[in-house]
Amino acid sequence: MKYKDGNNMADDFSYQITEKIKVLSTSKSGWTLELNKVSWSGRPAKFDLRSWAPDHQKMGKGVTLSDEELAALRDTLNTLG
């Protein structure tokens, strides 16, 4: 995708895993499902749940949660048993 000025949106995309929290599973191909804190495009780090290639150069679709959203999810999961 491009901005109106013609620049590529992908050029602005960056990420940094600031804290590795937990590897939840590993597939036969070596990809891992991980919960990490990730800073996207220089923004403050948020909780992030997604699959990663072994070298962390490729990623699958995932979900990024604020502290409050993660707490709400935790509370909901605790009610499930």
Side-chain angles (χ1 to χ4, degrees):
M1 242 180 166
K2 294 192 178 272
Y3 289 112
K4 289 181 182 178
D5 64 8
N7 288 327
N8 193 343
M9 291 175 117
D11 293 342
D12 292 340
F13 175 77
S14 65
Y15 66 91
Q16 179 183 9
I17 298 173
T18 61
E19 181 181 352
K20 292 185 177 187
I21 298 171
K22 180 78 174 172
V23 173
L24 301 174
S25 64
T26 303
S27 71
K28 290 180 184 178
S29 64
W31 280 62
T32 53
L33 178 62
E34 301 180 17
L35 178 63
N36 298 313
K37 294 271 301 229
V38 179
S39 171
W40 297 100
S41 299
R43 295 188 193 106
K46 291 187 175 187
F47 290 96
D48 186 80
L49 180 64
R50 75 182 59 245
S51 57
W52 291 92
D55 61 4
H56 285 91
Q57 295 300 309
K58 294 181 181 177
M59 66 191 82
K61 291 182 181 179
V63 62
T64 301
L65 302 165
S66 67
D67 292 353
E68 295 81 13
E69 291 166 331
L70 185 70
L73 177 60
R74 178 202 60 214
D75 293 346
T76 301
L77 293 173
N78 283 340
T79 67
L80 299 178

